[in-house]
Amino acid sequence: MAINRFTTMAYSEADEMVFGNAKKPVKAGLDLEIGAGYTTAEVNYAPRPEAGESMEKLISEYQRITKDIMARMVQVGFPSVVLETEHVQQMTNNPSWGAAVAHAQKTIMEEYHEEYGIKCALRHTPGDIREHKEFMELRGGKMDVVMESFEQIAESGADLLSIESMGGKEIFDYAVLRNDVPGMLYAIGCLGTMDMDYLWQEISSVAQKKGVVSAGDTDCAQANTAMFIAGGLLDKNLAHTLAILARAISAPRSLAAYEAGAVGPGKDCGYENIIVKAISGMPMAFEGKTSTCAHSDVMGNLIMQCCDLWSNESVEYHGEFGGTTVQCWSESLNYDCALMNTALKSGNEKILRDLLMASDRFRDPQAYVLAYDNAYAVGEAIVKDGEDIFLRAKNAAVACCDTLNNSEGLEMTKFELGALEKATKELDAITSESETFLSECMDRFKKEVPVFKPENYAL
Amino acid sequence: MLIVDKEGILIRYNVKMEKSMTPEEAAAELYPKDELYMPIAEAIFEGEEDDVIEGLEAAIEAGRDPIALIDDALMVGMKVVTDLYDQGVIFLPNVMMSADAMLEGIEFCKGQSDEAPVQKGKVICMVAEGDVHDIGKSIVAALLRANGYEVIDLGRDVPSAEALAAVKEHEPIMMTGTALMTTTMYAFKEVNDLLVESGITMPFACGGGAVNQDFVSTYSLGVYGEEAADAPKMAEAILAGADVAALREKFHNH
């Protein structure tokens, strides 16, 4: 597949974006259309630890999970649902295991679709296992296993193909713990994008060959690491202004999947997806207030503002008072979707979108930049130099800093402001020459990060 | 577009509770008074490796013992950093950069002497078998080193047998295990069982990602660590005589 960079915005203005509608809707699975005028819940789950002991145990666990979700959907009268299975490592390392699970799940979903007409689709997300104990090995034998996994799950019932790829993480982990803004830019914006280009051309080829959907990636490995380290308001591990800087830089990186043939819906934990949607016009999954089972964030309402799929991120399968966890969380997600779909049907979608956004807009620098109007502005900065992967990542970072430096109504701590000031100065000092930046970073990180292997990026 | 005043909707408690003193001012109050040690401690706080070495050279030239400088200057400087981190005055990246500078200083001091420094105790750090997510382990290891412990870093995706062999070889006061995923954290039980079979009673502090207190409580040596910063506090408690039960009493908050 060829790489086609985005150099224009899909939406003419930020206000055009709403939940449940994408410029380029995607048909998938059993009569489902994503971003075509309604929102759908995407339920995500993890098997209990002991289920990983054998393929048979895993299949049985996922059958229980799937039946529980589908049964609850019809019991409460919800019209559509997406199930996402993020592979445990055994399922990707042994492609036949992942395939067997996909087949078992899809069989149950087909039965429910046939009997009740419920629209549904199955997303499978192999693990990015392209590494050895000491080093990442993004190209080579492990890549072959990943691609074999994609082939087999696509043949066995998965409708949407995704992954949370890790390109650049070896540099990012080093940089983020040292407030190293150029390092974050190099890791996510440059190395991350290079790996995305490579990986997603392959995934999109598989999807095309098998007649399924090449759905998209998320910068979970980097931007979410920054968000989790940053934590809550009182945590002292990373300035939230730096966490959102990593997020802004991750937008052009995650965009690369859609430049290499993916069509959406993007993965749920990509909080950068609001920027990606503004640029690509493709449907996106999001998670927030209904993914507190997996993690906390500081923008739970706001991030729902323009979702097409609404996810719970992940929950371990076990019993609760209200049923199993997947039943409880799928029901909560679907009630959120019912509200959004009511707003869409009654013409009130922009009012609800704005209420969601306004309730969190000033909660945190991360929320402020991801408010759809500010996210759109970051998108414009990216497409301005859309053909240059370094420059567009730098533009995203600069636009993020500008948004915060010119913010109105957002209170920040001295520490957050100090980190922002330092980042702004460091970005100002970075060259605008792509080759110079890449060459300087290569020299520096080869010395400072022993596990950095340039050959992973064909460098 | 709708913009609503945040009053009554949210409170940024971090802004409300922010201390008036800057980190530099707070650090200045804690530096050692000795004129040779103070610049070393300050360089540690600033994370300036070159300045640390420069300070150490000056102190050695003035007749100070290189090995004694580790405790008297480097560790004192690092304690300023860890104390301010514990008080919420500075953030983790400051600790990481200071720890890098301190470790470089320690290596320099060791190179200037035939004697070996005495450390507070050994801790083994590992990531569960099948799990390659190691940033949590890196933070734990850095915080332990920053607090004066010798860290044996087994890296990520560590087979349970390898963890057992390392414990037998190094006889640490504690081992830490981190994991991101629910399926890989199951390996902790396996490690625990191997340790118990070998008659080892050392605490096995586990945390990260999907790991929770309920799960860690299911194996006999397990102590749940909710935050990386708990690791040096646990090590401190062990040196003061705490066993697994005492550690659970102190660190199991849920």
Side-chain angles (χ1 to χ4, degrees):
Chain A
M1 307 285 287
I3 302 284
N4 294 302
R5 299 284 182 218
F6 287 99
T7 54
T8 56
M9 302 292 283
Y11 293 86
S12 57
E13 58 176 343
D15 187 51
E16 211 185 334
M17 294 195 294
V18 291
F19 48 74
N21 271 307
K23 287 272 183 183
K24 299 168 188 166
V26 171
K27 287 184 179 168
L30 304 168
D31 293 337
L32 190 70
E33 192 164 7
I34 302 158
Y38 60 95
T39 61
T40 294
E42 179 165 21
V43 190
N44 203 322
Y45 32 76
R48 286 167 285 200
E50 58 272 25
E53 285 173 6
S54 69
M55 183 173 82
E56 291 69 28
K57 282 188 176 180
L58 271 176
I59 292 171
S60 169
E61 185 85 338
Y62 282 111
Q63 282 174 324
R64 281 192 286 262
I65 288 169
T66 306
K67 275 183 196 158
D68 281 1
I69 295 168
M70 298 309 293
R72 183 61 64 97
M73 293 301 93
V74 295
Q75 285 284 17
V76 190
F78 297 123
S80 62
V81 69
V82 171
L83 271 63
E84 186 194 4
T85 299
E86 290 185 355
H87 285 196
V88 295
Q89 57 87 14
Q90 299 93 316
M91 287 163 62
T92 308
N93 278 316
N94 306 288
S96 63
W97 290 32
V101 168
H103 175 71
Q105 289 189 281
K106 193 62 176 293
T107 302
I108 295 164
M109 293 169 76
E110 282 168 347
E111 286 165 6
Y112 273 86
H113 176 256
E114 198 174 317
E115 187 162 1
Y116 301 100
I118 182 169
K119 293 181 276 191
C120 53
L122 177 64
R123 189 199 298 258
H124 260 233
T125 303
D128 191 354
I129 55 159
R130 296 174 299 156
E131 54 189 333
H132 291 291
K133 190 172 183 308
E134 302 299 332
F135 303 106
M136 293 216 285
E137 189 199 272
L138 300 178
R139 299 169 188 229
K142 292 269 188 172
M143 173 69 176
D144 296 341
V145 178
V146 171
M147 295 319 300
E148 176 63 24
S149 176
F150 275 115
E151 294 240 358
Q152 290 206 24
I153 55 173
E155 278 170 11
S156 305
D159 304 302
L160 305 166
L161 305 184
S162 281
I163 192 169
E164 299 180 355
S165 64
M166 308 232 286
K169 186 166 173 60
E170 73 280 47
I171 302 294
F172 178 79
D173 281 357
Y174 175 84
V176 72
L177 295 179
R178 289 162 178 81
N179 285 346
D180 180 349
V181 171
M184 284 160 54
L185 195 56
Y186 183 58
I188 305 174
C190 300
L191 299 180
T193 302
M194 288 174 198
D195 183 51
M196 290 281 288
D197 286 348
Y198 167 69
L199 180 63
W200 276 94
Q201 289 182 85
E202 297 294 325
I203 298 170
S204 298
S205 291
V206 170
Q208 197 173 49
K209 196 166 65 182
K210 305 290 179 187
V212 298
V213 177
S214 174
D217 207 308
T218 153
D219 195 31
C220 186
Q222 301 175 103
N224 284 7
T225 296
M227 181 172 81
F228 297 148
I229 293 175
L233 297 180
L234 302 184
D235 287 323
K236 297 286 179 183
N237 291 330
L238 184 71
H240 289 203
T241 40
L242 283 188
I244 186 58
L245 194 67
R247 180 69 65 193
I249 300 169
S250 77
R253 170 262 177 218
S254 294
L255 187 68
Y258 312 100
E259 295 172 326
V263 295
K267 270 273 295 160
D268 52 0
C269 63
Y271 283 64
E272 67 272 19
N273 282 347
I274 182 64
I275 303 169
V276 175
K277 181 170 177 174
I279 297 171
S280 70
M282 293 173 189
M284 294 290 140
F286 289 89
E287 64 190 40
K289 73 188 179 74
T290 323
S291 66
T292 51
C293 49
H295 63 83
S296 173
D297 65 32
V298 280
M299 57 200 118
N301 283 335
L302 177 141
I303 204 65
M304 196 170 154
Q305 60 195 342
C306 296
C307 72
D308 299 294
L309 295 178
W310 183 232
S311 162
N312 66 316
E313 158 69 25
S314 191
V315 68
E316 189 187 86
Y317 182 59
H318 59 247
E320 297 285 358
F321 289 150
T324 59
T325 49
V326 291
Q327 292 178 309
C328 298
W329 290 95
S330 62
E331 186 172 337
S332 293
L333 287 168
N334 269 290
Y335 275 119
D336 285 343
C337 289
L339 178 62
M340 287 188 280
N341 292 340
T342 303
L344 280 162
K345 207 162 178 191
S346 60
N348 289 308
E349 66 272 22
K350 289 191 177 178
I351 295 172
L352 179 56
R353 174 199 65 188
D354 281 7
L355 287 170
L356 291 165
M357 180 277 292
S359 70
D360 287 335
R361 184 179 181 89
F362 303 116
R363 194 174 299 279
D364 197 78
Q366 297 171 88
Y368 190 83
V369 174
L370 294 178
Y372 67 88
D373 55 322
N374 291 327
Y376 186 88
V378 175
E380 287 181 304
I382 291 167
V383 298
K384 184 159 65 74
D385 289 298
E387 299 283 359
D388 185 322
I389 64 165
F390 156 67
L391 216 46
R392 69 184 192 169
K394 184 186 170 193
N395 289 355
V398 170
C400 173
C401 289
D402 287 348
T403 301
L404 293 175
N405 283 319
N406 300 318
S407 63
E408 290 177 11
L410 173 68
E411 288 181 307
M412 288 183 272
T413 63
K414 287 198 286 283
F415 179 78
E416 288 168 339
L417 287 167
L420 175 63
E421 186 185 354
K422 183 172 171 287
T424 305
K425 280 183 186 161
E426 285 181 6
L427 284 166
D428 278 349
I430 292 175
T431 176
S432 291
E433 295 298 323
S434 188
E435 279 185 26
T436 309
F437 181 77
L438 290 172
S439 153
E440 285 173 1
C441 285
M442 167 81 91
D443 290 346
R444 188 184 142 206
F445 288 112
K446 270 166 75 178
K447 286 181 200 134
E448 292 183 20
V449 182
V451 294
F452 173 42
K453 302 285 177 198
E455 59 267 31
N456 276 323
Y457 308 94
L459 293 172
Chain B
M1 195 176 68
L2 182 69
I3 302 291
V4 182
D5 182 79
K6 60 185 171 297
E7 183 70 30
I9 297 173
L10 61 94
I11 301 170
R12 293 211 83 213
Y13 287 105
N14 48 349
V15 175
K16 193 177 164 189
M17 305 300 287
E18 196 166 31
K19 293 183 173 60
S20 56
M21 195 179 272
T22 67
E24 288 74 19
E25 288 166 351
E29 290 193 351
L30 300 173
Y31 289 142
K33 303 298 173 213
D34 186 303
E35 61 181 19
L36 286 169
Y37 298 159
M38 204 275 273
I40 299 170
E42 192 174 2
I44 293 275
F45 177 79
E46 300 289 348
E48 294 291 345
E49 295 169 4
D50 293 346
D51 292 350
V52 169
I53 304 298
E54 204 174 288
L56 290 170
E57 283 171 342
I60 292 167
E61 206 167 292
R64 306 295 167 95
D65 173 53
I67 296 300
L69 280 172
I70 294 175
D71 280 344
D72 296 343
L74 293 172
M75 292 312 299
V76 171
M78 200 64 221
K79 189 163 187 325
V80 172
V81 176
T82 52
D83 282 354
L84 293 181
Y85 174 65
D86 286 342
Q87 291 167 28
V89 177
I90 60 171
F91 278 44
L92 181 65
N94 304 89
V95 182
M96 299 296 289
M97 290 184 281
S98 294
D100 286 350
M102 178 198 69
L103 290 174
E104 190 140 323
I106 290 174
E107 286 308 308
F108 176 80
C109 290
K110 282 157 72 176
Q112 302 295 309
S113 173
D114 295 330
E115 291 174 49
V118 178
Q119 291 188 297
K120 288 161 81 172
K122 276 186 196 172
V123 179
I124 290 179
C125 296
M126 61 162 290
V127 178
E129 183 168 15
D131 206 321
V132 294
H133 302 88
D134 64 354
I135 192 166
K137 184 265 301 165
S138 300
I139 296 170
V140 167
L143 291 177
L144 284 164
R145 288 189 178 113
N147 281 275
Y149 295 93
E150 182 184 354
V151 172
I152 313 293
D153 187 346
L154 300 185
R156 55 196 194 179
D157 187 12
V158 178
S160 303
E162 190 183 316
L164 172 67
V167 170
K168 284 182 173 173
E169 181 189 345
H170 296 286
E171 298 181 346
I173 60 168
M174 170 176 88
M175 180 158 71
T176 72
T178 50
L180 182 71
M181 298 179 287
T182 53
T183 44
T184 55
M185 74 185 189
Y186 202 55
F188 292 151
K189 275 188 175 177
E190 198 174 287
V191 173
N192 178 85
D193 293 348
L194 290 175
L195 293 169
V196 171
E197 278 169 24
S198 298
I200 294 165
T201 57
M202 166 214 70
F204 182 26
C206 300
V211 181
N212 59 56
Q213 183 181 305
D214 288 347
F215 174 70
V216 176
S217 301
T218 61
Y219 43 94
S220 60
L221 301 178
V223 181
Y224 175 60
E226 189 160 21
E227 295 181 10
D230 286 342
K233 291 173 190 158
M234 286 181 189
E236 213 67 43
I238 291 167
L239 290 183
D243 58 8
V244 171
L247 290 172
R248 285 184 176 186
E249 183 65 28
K250 187 173 166 68
F251 291 97
H252 284 200
N253 299 318
H254 301 293

PDB file of all heavy atoms in Angstrom, chain B residues 30 75-90 95 146-147:
ATOM      1  N   LEU B  30      17.992  22.622  52.817  1.00  0.00           N
ATOM      2  CA  LEU B  30      18.363  21.263  53.211  1.00  0.00           C
ATOM      3  C   LEU B  30      19.804  20.892  52.869  1.00  0.00           C
ATOM      4  O   LEU B  30      20.287  19.835  53.279  1.00  0.00           O
ATOM      5  CB  LEU B  30      17.423  20.247  52.519  1.00  0.00           C
ATOM      6  CG  LEU B  30      15.936  20.384  52.850  1.00  0.00           C
ATOM      7  CD1 LEU B  30      15.118  19.429  51.977  1.00  0.00           C
ATOM      8  CD2 LEU B  30      15.674  20.078  54.312  1.00  0.00           C
ATOM      9  N   MET B  75      25.037  10.950  48.814  1.00  0.00           N
ATOM     10  CA  MET B  75      23.765  10.461  49.383  1.00  0.00           C
ATOM     11  C   MET B  75      23.014  11.574  50.111  1.00  0.00           C
ATOM     12  O   MET B  75      21.774  11.595  50.111  1.00  0.00           O
ATOM     13  CB  MET B  75      24.017   9.287  50.337  1.00  0.00           C
ATOM     14  CG  MET B  75      24.519   8.013  49.681  1.00  0.00           C
ATOM     15  SD  MET B  75      23.586   7.488  48.217  1.00  0.00           S
ATOM     16  CE  MET B  75      21.960   7.239  48.894  1.00  0.00           C
ATOM     17  N   VAL B  76      23.765  12.492  50.703  1.00  0.00           N
ATOM     18  CA  VAL B  76      23.110  13.625  51.375  1.00  0.00           C
ATOM     19  C   VAL B  76      22.394  14.484  50.329  1.00  0.00           C
ATOM     20  O   VAL B  76      21.241  14.903  50.520  1.00  0.00           O
ATOM     21  CB  VAL B  76      24.157  14.453  52.160  1.00  0.00           C
ATOM     22  CG1 VAL B  76      23.532  15.745  52.669  1.00  0.00           C
ATOM     23  CG2 VAL B  76      24.711  13.636  53.321  1.00  0.00           C
ATOM     24  N   GLY B  77      23.057  14.721  49.210  1.00  0.00           N
ATOM     25  CA  GLY B  77      22.430  15.485  48.130  1.00  0.00           C
ATOM     26  C   GLY B  77      21.202  14.771  47.593  1.00  0.00           C
ATOM     27  O   GLY B  77      20.158  15.374  47.323  1.00  0.00           O
ATOM     28  N   MET B  78      21.314  13.447  47.456  1.00  0.00           N
ATOM     29  CA  MET B  78      20.187  12.675  46.933  1.00  0.00           C
ATOM     30  C   MET B  78      19.029  12.663  47.914  1.00  0.00           C
ATOM     31  O   MET B  78      17.857  12.646  47.506  1.00  0.00           O
ATOM     32  CB  MET B  78      20.668  11.247  46.632  1.00  0.00           C
ATOM     33  CG  MET B  78      19.783  10.507  45.666  1.00  0.00           C
ATOM     34  SD  MET B  78      19.730  11.252  44.018  1.00  0.00           S
ATOM     35  CE  MET B  78      17.990  11.069  43.665  1.00  0.00           C
ATOM     36  N   LYS B  79      19.358  12.695  49.204  1.00  0.00           N
ATOM     37  CA  LYS B  79      18.276  12.712  50.206  1.00  0.00           C
ATOM     38  C   LYS B  79      17.478  14.019  50.134  1.00  0.00           C
ATOM     39  O   LYS B  79      16.258  14.018  50.352  1.00  0.00           O
ATOM     40  CB  LYS B  79      18.859  12.518  51.616  1.00  0.00           C
ATOM     41  CG  LYS B  79      17.774  12.301  52.667  1.00  0.00           C
ATOM     42  CD  LYS B  79      18.299  11.709  53.947  1.00  0.00           C
ATOM     43  CE  LYS B  79      17.200  11.342  54.929  1.00  0.00           C
ATOM     44  NZ  LYS B  79      16.040  12.190  54.979  1.00  0.00           N
ATOM     45  N   VAL B  80      18.173  15.091  49.808  1.00  0.00           N
ATOM     46  CA  VAL B  80      17.451  16.354  49.599  1.00  0.00           C
ATOM     47  C   VAL B  80      16.391  16.143  48.513  1.00  0.00           C
ATOM     48  O   VAL B  80      15.224  16.535  48.648  1.00  0.00           O
ATOM     49  CB  VAL B  80      18.431  17.485  49.176  1.00  0.00           C
ATOM     50  CG1 VAL B  80      17.669  18.744  48.771  1.00  0.00           C
ATOM     51  CG2 VAL B  80      19.422  17.784  50.302  1.00  0.00           C
ATOM     52  N   VAL B  81      16.810  15.478  47.439  1.00  0.00           N
ATOM     53  CA  VAL B  81      15.917  15.255  46.296  1.00  0.00           C
ATOM     54  C   VAL B  81      14.753  14.336  46.681  1.00  0.00           C
ATOM     55  O   VAL B  81      13.589  14.656  46.416  1.00  0.00           O
ATOM     56  CB  VAL B  81      16.721  14.640  45.118  1.00  0.00           C
ATOM     57  CG1 VAL B  81      15.796  14.301  43.949  1.00  0.00           C
ATOM     58  CG2 VAL B  81      17.818  15.600  44.678  1.00  0.00           C
ATOM     59  N   THR B  82      15.067  13.210  47.322  1.00  0.00           N
ATOM     60  CA  THR B  82      13.988  12.261  47.636  1.00  0.00           C
ATOM     61  C   THR B  82      13.048  12.826  48.706  1.00  0.00           C
ATOM     62  O   THR B  82      11.847  12.590  48.661  1.00  0.00           O
ATOM     63  CB  THR B  82      14.552  10.892  48.085  1.00  0.00           C
ATOM     64  OG1 THR B  82      15.506  11.085  49.131  1.00  0.00           O
ATOM     65  CG2 THR B  82      15.243  10.187  46.936  1.00  0.00           C
ATOM     66  N   ASP B  83      13.595  13.587  49.636  1.00  0.00           N
ATOM     67  CA  ASP B  83      12.720  14.203  50.639  1.00  0.00           C
ATOM     68  C   ASP B  83      11.750  15.192  49.984  1.00  0.00           C
ATOM     69  O   ASP B  83      10.555  15.221  50.302  1.00  0.00           O
ATOM     70  CB  ASP B  83      13.548  14.944  51.705  1.00  0.00           C
ATOM     71  CG  ASP B  83      14.169  13.988  52.722  1.00  0.00           C
ATOM     72  OD1 ASP B  83      13.852  12.771  52.647  1.00  0.00           O
ATOM     73  OD2 ASP B  83      14.970  14.426  53.557  1.00  0.00           O
ATOM     74  N   LEU B  84      12.281  15.997  49.075  1.00  0.00           N
ATOM     75  CA  LEU B  84      11.413  16.988  48.417  1.00  0.00           C
ATOM     76  C   LEU B  84      10.395  16.307  47.500  1.00  0.00           C
ATOM     77  O   LEU B  84       9.273  16.780  47.330  1.00  0.00           O
ATOM     78  CB  LEU B  84      12.255  18.003  47.634  1.00  0.00           C
ATOM     79  CG  LEU B  84      13.128  18.929  48.493  1.00  0.00           C
ATOM     80  CD1 LEU B  84      13.906  19.909  47.616  1.00  0.00           C
ATOM     81  CD2 LEU B  84      12.270  19.728  49.488  1.00  0.00           C
ATOM     82  N   TYR B  85      10.796  15.161  46.926  1.00  0.00           N
ATOM     83  CA  TYR B  85       9.841  14.382  46.115  1.00  0.00           C
ATOM     84  C   TYR B  85       8.729  13.841  47.010  1.00  0.00           C
ATOM     85  O   TYR B  85       7.539  13.942  46.676  1.00  0.00           O
ATOM     86  CB  TYR B  85      10.586  13.254  45.406  1.00  0.00           C
ATOM     87  CG  TYR B  85       9.701  12.296  44.643  1.00  0.00           C
ATOM     88  CD1 TYR B  85       8.959  12.724  43.538  1.00  0.00           C
ATOM     89  CD2 TYR B  85       9.604  10.956  45.021  1.00  0.00           C
ATOM     90  CE1 TYR B  85       8.147  11.841  42.830  1.00  0.00           C
ATOM     91  CE2 TYR B  85       8.789  10.069  44.315  1.00  0.00           C
ATOM     92  CZ  TYR B  85       8.069  10.518  43.234  1.00  0.00           C
ATOM     93  OH  TYR B  85       7.269   9.635  42.542  1.00  0.00           O
ATOM     94  N   ASP B  86       9.122  13.284  48.157  1.00  0.00           N
ATOM     95  CA  ASP B  86       8.121  12.762  49.088  1.00  0.00           C
ATOM     96  C   ASP B  86       7.170  13.859  49.581  1.00  0.00           C
ATOM     97  O   ASP B  86       6.002  13.616  49.836  1.00  0.00           O
ATOM     98  CB  ASP B  86       8.794  12.097  50.295  1.00  0.00           C
ATOM     99  CG  ASP B  86       9.391  10.743  49.931  1.00  0.00           C
ATOM    100  OD1 ASP B  86       8.989  10.187  48.892  1.00  0.00           O
ATOM    101  OD2 ASP B  86      10.269  10.259  50.665  1.00  0.00           O
ATOM    102  N   GLN B  87       7.710  15.070  49.705  1.00  0.00           N
ATOM    103  CA  GLN B  87       6.871  16.186  50.179  1.00  0.00           C
ATOM    104  C   GLN B  87       6.041  16.801  49.051  1.00  0.00           C
ATOM    105  O   GLN B  87       5.250  17.714  49.274  1.00  0.00           O
ATOM    106  CB  GLN B  87       7.759  17.281  50.782  1.00  0.00           C
ATOM    107  CG  GLN B  87       8.432  16.898  52.085  1.00  0.00           C
ATOM    108  CD  GLN B  87       9.541  17.894  52.447  1.00  0.00           C
ATOM    109  OE1 GLN B  87       9.490  19.058  52.078  1.00  0.00           O
ATOM    110  NE2 GLN B  87      10.544  17.423  53.158  1.00  0.00           N
ATOM    111  N   GLY B  88       6.250  16.320  47.826  1.00  0.00           N
ATOM    112  CA  GLY B  88       5.480  16.850  46.698  1.00  0.00           C
ATOM    113  C   GLY B  88       5.993  18.179  46.181  1.00  0.00           C
ATOM    114  O   GLY B  88       5.287  18.904  45.488  1.00  0.00           O
ATOM    115  N   VAL B  89       7.226  18.517  46.513  1.00  0.00           N
ATOM    116  CA  VAL B  89       7.782  19.792  46.051  1.00  0.00           C
ATOM    117  C   VAL B  89       8.373  19.646  44.649  1.00  0.00           C
ATOM    118  O   VAL B  89       8.303  20.562  43.831  1.00  0.00           O
ATOM    119  CB  VAL B  89       8.866  20.308  47.037  1.00  0.00           C
ATOM    120  CG1 VAL B  89       9.500  21.598  46.530  1.00  0.00           C
ATOM    121  CG2 VAL B  89       8.253  20.517  48.412  1.00  0.00           C
ATOM    122  N   ILE B  90       8.982  18.493  44.373  1.00  0.00           N
ATOM    123  CA  ILE B  90       9.535  18.259  43.034  1.00  0.00           C
ATOM    124  C   ILE B  90       8.922  16.990  42.438  1.00  0.00           C
ATOM    125  O   ILE B  90       8.304  16.204  43.141  1.00  0.00           O
ATOM    126  CB  ILE B  90      11.075  18.159  43.046  1.00  0.00           C
ATOM    127  CG1 ILE B  90      11.524  17.003  43.944  1.00  0.00           C
ATOM    128  CG2 ILE B  90      11.717  19.465  43.457  1.00  0.00           C
ATOM    129  CD1 ILE B  90      13.000  16.706  43.830  1.00  0.00           C
ATOM    130  N   VAL B  95      13.938  13.571  40.067  1.00  0.00           N
ATOM    131  CA  VAL B  95      14.568  12.480  40.801  1.00  0.00           C
ATOM    132  C   VAL B  95      15.395  11.624  39.846  1.00  0.00           C
ATOM    133  O   VAL B  95      16.520  11.221  40.155  1.00  0.00           O
ATOM    134  CB  VAL B  95      13.506  11.600  41.515  1.00  0.00           C
ATOM    135  CG1 VAL B  95      14.181  10.498  42.319  1.00  0.00           C
ATOM    136  CG2 VAL B  95      12.634  12.446  42.419  1.00  0.00           C
ATOM    137  N   ALA B 146      18.278   5.742  44.319  1.00  0.00           N
ATOM    138  CA  ALA B 146      18.325   7.105  44.861  1.00  0.00           C
ATOM    139  C   ALA B 146      18.318   7.097  46.385  1.00  0.00           C
ATOM    140  O   ALA B 146      18.798   8.025  47.028  1.00  0.00           O
ATOM    141  CB  ALA B 146      17.137   7.909  44.345  1.00  0.00           C
ATOM    142  N   ASN B 147      17.762   6.030  46.942  1.00  0.00           N
ATOM    143  CA  ASN B 147      17.706   5.923  48.401  1.00  0.00           C
ATOM    144  C   ASN B 147      18.822   5.060  48.969  1.00  0.00           C
ATOM    145  O   ASN B 147      18.771   4.650  50.125  1.00  0.00           O
ATOM    146  CB  ASN B 147      16.334   5.380  48.831  1.00  0.00           C
ATOM    147  CG  ASN B 147      15.270   6.453  48.798  1.00  0.00           C
ATOM    148  OD1 ASN B 147      15.084   7.216  49.747  1.00  0.00           O
ATOM    149  ND2 ASN B 147      14.581   6.564  47.661  1.00  0.00           N
TER     150      ASN B 147
END
